[in-house]
Amino acid sequence: MQEASRLVRAGRHAEAAAVLAVLAGLMPGEAPVWCSLGMMRVASGDLEGGEGALREATALDPSHADSLACLGMLLATRQRAGEAEGFLGRAAALAPGRADVLYAYTRLLTESGRAPEAVALLRAAIARHGAPGGAGGDRDPLLRSKLCMMLNYSGARPEEVFAAHIEYGRWLPPARALPAAVDRDPARPLRVGYLSPDLREHAVAYFLEPLLEHRSRGDFSVFLYHAGAGGDAVTARLRGLADGWREVQPLSDEETYQQIVADRIDVLIDLAGHTAGNRLPVMALRPAPVQATYIGYPNTTGVPAIGSRFVDATTDPEGSGADALATERLVRLPGCFLCYRPFEGAPDPGPSPCRRDGHLTFCSFNSLAKLSEATIAVWSRIVRELPGSRLMLKGKGLADPAVASRFASRFAVHGIGAERLELLSHTASTAEHMAAYQRADIALDPFPYGGTTTTCEALWMGVPVISLAGERHASRVGVSLLGAAGVPELVAATGDLYIATALELASNPERIAALRAGLRGRVRASPLCDAGAFVAAYEGALRALWREWCSSPR
């Protein structure tokens, strides 16, 4: 085992797996050895071999929590959610104190459309942890961060969601004093840092890349802090646009804090919020004078050291109460708060499917976690009222028959049979994902947590999106995007109008065809893709925040 551990520390996972295979042969009844072998095979890319070893470990000792957890996580990544749920559920019951296991389990539940169950499990686990700094408590805010994330999907009242974010902030370490030597010149060039686990082919990158590519290089230097593992072609492209690149995924919060301080970052921007892999505890230490959050999360963070959050006057109207439900000051960018860079490999939209297929196809390619009961009820009514219509859903969980069956049963309750549903699983590439829109006529935005990247992608593929204007940021992003794209008529103010808007458009194949032919051009020419104008306004907001800090008391 010592030799295997040495190889693991050196990152030589395949060699470690070979050593562990020999050891497993000598100790065939030891579940921990088989578990270690399985993990090393997975780390070296041998998923089949890893699964086999982990299954052997769980068979040898059905109560070995590590083996159950690792097998469950592996099955989840391999799109076998129904089977993964059983292993992760058993692991969570055997090791209730392990935040990583509980997070994997509750994330799986949420992605299968069972957010209320996930929230209940997280609340029960949090109740066992005591109060911050109190007897029986700890200082690990991970579970509370995951609760904040899951609450966005659960349909909880905005006040309840806000309270959870406030509570999360209480578990963070206090902000540290800034270096006394920071140059407070309000006009000098600024060093801007972005901290994210998603610097890859990910939704965040579509909105980050224009900021990097079109920045005023004489006024803004950019440092990217990559908090994720691995990378791809998008990672390489982003790295090429940055003045500095730091791999912080293997670093502790303290080490990451020290790196950012050493880089003398003036403005540090979190791009993850409470999503997976976030480094909000680093932001809590305040490594930069000005700190903000942007793009990656549709809510407040609850982190006292994050001073600002970028939104717009449509997603968070002044006087709407949005400011009272944010721990940050809301900085409203002019127009839409996002600038979209379309996927360059997207195919042409193609002809309207309704004319080719003889029936209309509605679709949603949003995360299955967003498909609330209210959303399913409304979508079912739309499909029922349009004879012959179909609804196409796409989500990575649907590759598993158990998850697909569960979603089909949720629609069956509302009178929609399986013959009117088309359930598509996760595609291997973004190009394939975009091509799937060629089979859809109208996209339906879920609520109360609507789409962002999915809305932009649908529009780019010539598919109009019907969106319901809600009362909070997550349910108003579609309003902002559709307005910026020049199709505000696709926004409905009430559930009944949402249904009426969808049915009216569905009954007009000529208008559908016109939108399909013209939407990409309209989006390309719209403010949504006008990177030059957007970045100028965005940099103006950064400069204003810096000037304000420079004039604040020392």
Side-chain angles (χ1 to χ4, degrees):
M1 286 294 283
Q2 289 181 345
E3 175 64 10
S5 298
R6 183 185 67 79
L7 292 168
V8 171
R9 289 194 296 271
R12 296 157 64 181
H13 300 117
E15 294 173 63
V19 171
L20 288 165
V22 172
L23 188 60
L26 296 172
M27 307 170 66
E30 293 295 321
V33 176
W34 284 96
C35 179
S36 298
L37 172 58
M39 288 190 290
M40 285 305 98
R41 284 177 172 171
V42 170
S44 63
D46 179 10
L47 303 187
E48 290 291 341
E51 182 180 332
L54 290 169
R55 285 191 183 278
E56 180 66 21
T58 59
L60 287 169
D61 184 356
S63 64
H64 190 246
D66 282 348
S67 301
L68 293 167
C70 291
L71 180 55
M73 292 178 192
L74 175 60
L75 292 171
T77 62
R78 304 192 77 187
Q79 311 304 316
R80 288 147 67 184
E83 195 177 4
E85 182 183 329
F87 288 104
L88 286 171
R90 286 159 58 192
L94 288 165
R98 281 189 54 175
D100 61 332
V101 175
L102 185 61
Y103 171 54
Y105 182 39
T106 54
R107 181 177 182 180
L108 187 69
L109 290 174
T110 302
E111 291 178 347
S112 299
R114 299 160 65 186
E117 293 178 54
V119 167
L121 285 169
L122 285 166
R123 286 200 185 282
I126 287 169
R128 293 192 293 267
H129 276 248
D138 62 22
R139 298 298 304 183
D140 181 3
L142 177 62
L143 290 180
R144 286 158 183 79
S145 180
K146 301 317 170 190
L147 175 62
C148 290
M149 182 68 222
M150 302 308 183
L151 282 170
N152 289 287
Y153 297 113
S154 69
R157 293 179 298 103
E159 295 78 12
E160 179 184 353
V161 180
F162 180 60
H165 287 76
I166 291 289
E167 180 65 15
Y168 167 79
R170 294 179 56 224
W171 285 74
L172 294 171
R176 297 177 182 174
L178 293 167
V182 176
D183 182 358
R184 287 181 175 250
D185 180 356
R188 69 172 173 82
L190 297 179
R191 297 163 72 87
V192 180
Y194 292 94
L195 177 59
S196 173
D198 302 316
L199 302 180
R200 52 187 169 84
E201 192 165 314
H202 183 278
V204 165
Y206 289 115
F207 305 101
L208 173 63
E209 192 163 355
L211 307 185
L212 307 182
E213 191 171 19
H214 293 268
R215 74 182 184 278
S216 304
R217 294 179 181 272
D219 292 326
F220 296 89
S221 298
V222 166
F223 286 70
L224 297 183
Y225 296 90
H226 185 209
D232 53 25
V234 175
T235 305
R237 199 163 65 226
L238 294 174
R239 185 169 189 163
L241 291 170
D243 299 291
W245 179 276
R246 305 287 186 259
E247 294 284 351
V248 299
Q249 193 270 342
L251 303 185
S252 68
D253 291 341
E254 177 64 28
E255 290 169 330
T256 303
Y257 166 83
Q258 295 294 345
Q259 178 65 69
I260 296 170
V261 171
D263 289 332
R264 296 179 290 110
I265 297 300
D266 301 307
V267 182
L268 180 64
I269 301 173
D270 157 66
L271 298 177
H274 288 279
T275 59
N278 77 74
R279 301 298 294 273
L280 289 178
V282 174
M283 301 291 294
L285 297 174
R286 195 175 60 183
V290 175
Q291 298 197 151
T293 184
Y294 183 39
I295 296 178
Y297 187 64
N299 214 319
T300 187
T301 64
V303 180
I306 298 180
S308 301
R309 178 170 157 238
F310 294 109
V311 296
D312 64 47
T314 300
T315 60
D316 298 79
E318 293 199 48
S320 66
D323 298 85
L325 295 175
T327 57
E328 309 87 5
R329 180 178 60 177
L330 299 184
V331 177
R332 294 174 173 86
L333 299 173
C336 179
F337 76 111
L338 295 169
C339 181
Y340 175 59
R341 175 177 177 145
F343 174 64
E344 293 179 350
D348 292 333
S352 300
C354 60
R355 289 183 165 175
R356 179 192 64 218
D357 301 333
H359 64 263
L360 188 129
T361 300
F362 296 101
C363 80
S364 171
F365 293 175
N366 283 274
S367 166
L368 300 179
K370 295 183 179 181
L371 273 57
S372 64
E373 290 303 326
T375 293
I376 288 177
V378 167
W379 288 359
S380 297
R381 182 177 162 190
I382 291 171
V383 174
R384 281 201 317 269
E385 294 192 16
L386 187 65
S389 62
R390 307 283 195 275
L391 175 61
M392 181 167 62
L393 303 179
K394 182 175 179 293
K396 63 181 181 180
L398 294 174
D400 188 283
V403 176
S405 176
R406 188 178 297 120
F407 270 91
S409 67
R410 292 174 70 189
F411 281 92
V413 170
H414 299 283
I416 303 301
E419 74 281 358
R420 301 189 72 178
L421 294 175
E422 185 174 3
L423 306 180
L424 306 179
S425 62
H426 185 69
T427 45
S429 69
T430 303
E432 292 176 84
H433 168 74
M434 299 295 280
Y437 280 107
Q438 294 175 325
R439 300 164 55 191
D441 297 288
I442 299 172
L444 300 174
D445 198 18
F447 52 88
Y449 190 167
T452 301
T453 308
T454 47
T455 298
C456 295
E457 289 173 339
L459 295 174
W460 190 250
M461 290 303 297
V463 180
V465 183
I466 310 299
S467 188
L468 176 62
E471 297 180 351
R472 53 177 170 147
H473 179 96
S475 58
R476 296 187 61 82
V477 172
V479 185
S480 183
L481 294 173
L482 293 171
V487 283
E489 69 275 11
L490 299 178
V491 176
T494 67
D496 286 340
L497 287 174
Y498 180 97
I499 294 169
T501 303
L503 292 174
E504 181 182 3
L505 179 57
S507 66
N508 191 338
E510 289 77 17
R511 186 177 172 217
I512 292 173
L515 285 168
R516 195 169 196 89
L519 263 177
R520 179 172 292 189
R522 291 172 68 175
V523 170
R524 182 187 289 114
S526 76
L528 189 57
C529 291
D530 187 351
F534 180 87
V535 172
Y538 170 74
E539 290 182 345
L542 293 184
R543 180 61 67 178
L545 290 175
W546 176 252
R547 283 198 301 265
E548 181 180 65
W549 181 80
C550 289
S551 63
S552 65
R554 293 180 182 273

